[in-house]
Amino acid sequence: MATDSPYLALSTADGTWESEKDSVLSHHVDTNVPLVPLFEDEDDDAQKLPSWKHVLYTRVPLFVWLPQYRKSLLRSDIIAGLTVGVMLVPQAMAYASLARLSLVTGLYAAFLPPIMYFIFGTSRQLSVGPGAILSLLTYHTLSTRGIQPDDPRYAPMAVLLMFEVGVIQTLMGLVRFGFVVNFLSNPVINGFTSAAALIIASSQIQSITNIPTDLGQDFFPILLRACENIPHIHLLSLALATAAVALLLMLQMWKESSWSGNRIAKFLPGALIVVVGGTLFVFSLHQASGTVHGLNIVRNVAGGIQVDAPWSSMTFGDMKGLLPAAAVMVLVGFMEAISAAKFMAEKHRYEISPNQELFAIGLANLFGSFFCGYPIGGGFSRTAVTDQAGGKTPVASLISGIVVLISIECLTSLFYYLPKAVLGSIVIVAVFRLVDLRAIWNLWAINRNECVTSSVTFICTLVFGIELGLALGVGISLLVVLQRTSRPHTAILGMVGQPPQCTFNNTQYYPEAKQFPRILLFRFDSKLFFANVAFLKQKLRKLRKTIRPALRFIVIDCSAMNGIDSSGAEMVKKMIDEMADKKTTVLMAAANEHILKIIRRCHLQDGLMDNIRFRSVYEALMYAQSQLSTMDFVDHSGSPTAANLYSFRSEISDHNGISFYPGGSLVSNSSV
């Protein structure tokens, strides 16, 4: 929908959000739909607002949509918020155990971030809070730096890590650096998340088996030590975890089935059910026999809110040492959040702002660090539950945060008999769907380079760990990008159809396309700049030497060349001169105005403009054919000169609707 306002009018598929008229925001906007700030492309109307209002409306979306909130949406938002809240409580504790933190730390990280996102976020369904990969990264970051879970500095360092992640994300959102997540390509994400999910699942072996020996934190050593300790497996813990996993999977299958009762299943919080069931089971055992039969239970969970400055007991060296890991967690956390937010936005036909999302999640981490949490991001499974439960606005996020807050203040004593095997089973089921080896395999048929990138990321993450595996994956992606930009796709073209209604296509896919013995039609599918000028020069030399020895004209189709730099312009000039010495003329067709402008700025127009101003490949081909058939228009070197080009104007000015514009360049009156 076109609009002249700095705020974009958005509609939903079911039309459930209808806005009321607003004297400030309704200018040129459809007031029958809700308004969300359009942060990426602000126009002049944004500058007409007072500066403080402009900042308020663009950085705090709450003030845009809340005045238009309708009471009829409150019921569905409350239901969705309660559903996600009761799911978030056991999940937050399970993820805290994965990070080797106290369970209440997971609750601390789960109550304030959703409330902050309610104020600053642009997605209507996104649920933020602790996640499996970020929890594992927290443990891996601290343990590899010599800070083990039994160290008194372990929890404060996790809080400091959350603070640094929040500061970086907030600053990146303010300066609009949301694009950096694009460096995490889909193959890298697939390989990384699949390997991370396996590492996370393996890290829960000790929880579900209650093996007394520490199994470590790396994937293969964990498996090896688990096999060595099979005789020490606690069978009751394993049986309880197996039952919990089976129940969670059955509930998940029920929710996704087409059975008539699946609507009821969508509102059943599986994690809460197994937590309550496991707790009651252990409590019954203790009441009946006075013992928990060797089960590892949570016992005392501290209650009440704690407030402290993240840096209160830290040194500058601690902050500096965590920065590399914080940078990795910034990318991973934002990648998870923006993927879920974009999915929901596309599903419900509304827009989100990646930069504002980064800003919102950064503030959630930043303020959450003052309440003793640890790094959080967006959760895809909880976001899907919000959507399935009918969440329409960020109010659902507010409700879920309040549910967790109530749990911290009133319900922590009820978790005394909660078995850790159940928490481990919740984590295993949560990461089960992250393992997607089939996607990696399918890439082999689509793009083998991407398959190699994904496979290397997967293997390196399993072998070398989370941080190094992700870094290697991103590094390989960047190398692939550099390789593609330095050696872009090129094509030899042929004419399909009869002139002037003809097209020029890749002869590899159109073998019937007509080619010309002494004229080469060539397309370069990239911007011409310093990194690929040598490749283009070598390519043309090779084509002239090996494929067309009698070549007299090279027509370069520049329609896919979206730009040029000074190095490219210099190379074009040298290439034209070099080929002219070899009795071959280079003509460039369909060059855009940007390319022409750069060549003028480089003061090369005197030697180039007559060779590059053809507005289509067809015009350049006509000129080349005419020169080949009119040998007396050729000078002693055997190469057509600039004077010949100007003499040729009168011959073709009336042919097929072609004319000239001032400066001597050709203009086609028909589109080819």
Side-chain angles (χ1 to χ4, degrees), residues 348-424:
H348 294 283
R349 302 177 189 176
Y350 64 88
E351 295 292 331
I352 61 170
S353 166
N355 290 318
Q356 181 64 15
E357 287 295 294
L358 186 56
F359 179 72
I361 296 171
L363 288 179
N365 274 297
L366 182 59
F367 283 91
S369 66
F370 287 89
F371 291 84
C372 304
Y374 73 100
I376 59 93
F380 205 103
S381 60
R382 293 192 302 269
T383 301
V385 170
T386 302
D387 182 50
Q388 292 172 356
K392 302 296 183 184
T393 75
V395 171
S397 183
L398 172 66
I399 300 298
S400 65
I402 293 174
V403 170
V404 178
L405 179 60
I406 293 173
S407 300
I408 295 173
E409 292 291 347
C410 307
L411 304 178
T412 53
S413 61
L414 300 179
F415 301 130
Y416 184 91
Y417 290 102
L418 174 59
K420 291 186 178 180
V422 169
L423 294 178

Side-chain angles (χ1 to χ4, degrees), residues 552-553 580 583-585 587 610-611 614 619-620 622-653 660 664 666:
R552 296 295 302 275
F553 283 89
K583 300 182 180 181
T584 300
T585 300
L587 306 177
D610 295 332
N611 295 77
F614 295 97
E619 292 173 7
M622 286 177 55
Y623 170 74
Q625 287 181 316
S626 175
Q627 290 295 301
L628 289 174
S629 62
T630 314
M631 299 306 297
D632 55 330
F633 275 66
V634 179
D635 66 5
H636 67 279
S637 65
S639 177
T641 64
N644 304 149
L645 176 63
Y646 289 114
S647 300
F648 182 63
R649 295 177 193 161
S650 59
E651 297 184 22
I652 65 170
S653 59
F660 292 85
L666 294 166

Side-chain angles (χ1 to χ4, degrees), residues 118-136:
F118 157 76
I119 300 172
F120 297 100
T122 61
S123 174
R124 301 173 190 171
Q125 287 83 23
L126 182 65
S127 173
V128 299
I133 294 179
L134 288 177
S135 298
L136 181 64

Side-chain angles (χ1 to χ4, degrees), residues 366-539:
L366 182 59
F367 283 91
S369 66
F370 287 89
F371 291 84
C372 304
Y374 73 100
I376 59 93
F380 205 103
S381 60
R382 293 192 302 269
T383 301
V385 170
T386 302
D387 182 50
Q388 292 172 356
K392 302 296 183 184
T393 75
V395 171
S397 183
L398 172 66
I399 300 298
S400 65
I402 293 174
V403 170
V404 178
L405 179 60
I406 293 173
S407 300
I408 295 173
E409 292 291 347
C410 307
L411 304 178
T412 53
S413 61
L414 300 179
F415 301 130
Y416 184 91
Y417 290 102
L418 174 59
K420 291 186 178 180
V422 169
L423 294 178
S425 67
I426 292 173
V427 173
I428 290 173
V429 173
V431 302
F432 176 74
R433 295 196 170 194
L434 294 178
V435 181
D436 192 1
L437 299 181
R438 179 176 296 180
I440 299 176
W441 174 254
N442 290 340
L443 285 173
W444 183 258
I446 300 172
N447 188 312
R448 294 189 177 183
N449 287 335
E450 291 185 341
C451 181
V452 171
T453 300
S454 188
S455 301
V456 170
T457 304
F458 176 78
I459 295 171
C460 289
T461 303
L462 283 182
V463 175
F464 301 114
I466 296 287
E467 291 182 41
L468 186 56
L470 181 61
L472 289 173
V474 173
I476 292 172
S477 293
L478 292 177
L479 288 176
V480 171
V481 170
L482 291 175
Q483 190 269 341
R484 290 177 179 174
T485 54
S486 63
R487 301 180 63 84
H489 179 265
T490 60
I492 296 176
L493 306 181
M495 187 172 69
V496 178
Q498 296 299 320
Q501 287 80 28
C502 58
T503 60
F504 296 89
N505 304 97
N506 190 340
T507 55
Q508 182 178 354
Y509 304 110
Y510 292 84
E512 74 280 5
K514 181 180 179 181
Q515 298 188 59
F516 305 89
R518 293 187 290 172
I519 302 174
L520 174 67
L521 306 180
F522 179 81
R523 191 179 70 225
F524 187 76
D525 295 336
S526 173
K527 175 181 179 179
L528 184 60
F529 68 117
F530 69 93
N532 56 30
V533 291
F535 171 75
L536 176 59
K537 186 184 295 185
Q538 293 170 2
K539 190 76 173 179

Side-chain angles (χ1 to χ4, degrees), residues 80-221:
L82 290 174
T83 303
V84 174
V86 297
M87 174 186 182
L88 184 55
V89 170
Q91 269 198 356
M93 294 190 297
Y95 292 144
S97 68
L98 174 61
R100 305 298 197 273
L101 292 162
S102 63
L103 301 190
V104 74
T105 303
L107 298 178
Y108 290 155
F111 92 89
L112 186 61
I115 298 174
M116 297 301 298
Y117 189 83
F118 157 76
I119 300 172
F120 297 100
T122 61
S123 174
R124 301 173 190 171
Q125 287 83 23
L126 182 65
S127 173
V128 299
I133 294 179
L134 288 177
S135 298
L136 181 64
L137 275 171
T138 300
Y139 170 58
H140 186 270
T141 297
L142 300 180
S143 61
T144 54
R145 285 160 176 78
I147 306 172
Q148 299 303 323
D150 56 356
D151 191 323
R153 300 173 65 244
Y154 187 84
M157 289 291 280
V159 175
L160 180 62
L161 187 60
M162 185 183 198
F163 174 77
E164 291 188 359
V165 169
V167 170
I168 296 172
Q169 288 178 327
T170 302
L171 292 177
M172 289 176 65
L174 286 173
V175 298
R176 300 185 179 186
F177 265 36
F179 68 88
V180 297
V181 76
N182 295 330
F183 288 107
L184 292 174
S185 63
N186 284 335
V188 170
I189 293 172
N190 287 339
F192 172 74
T193 54
S194 295
L198 292 177
I199 294 173
I200 291 168
S202 67
S203 70
Q204 297 305 297
I205 292 177
Q206 190 164 4
S207 296
I208 65 176
T209 59
N210 204 11
I211 293 175
T213 305
D214 183 18
L215 301 181
Q217 59 178 329
D218 296 323
F219 180 71
F220 294 107

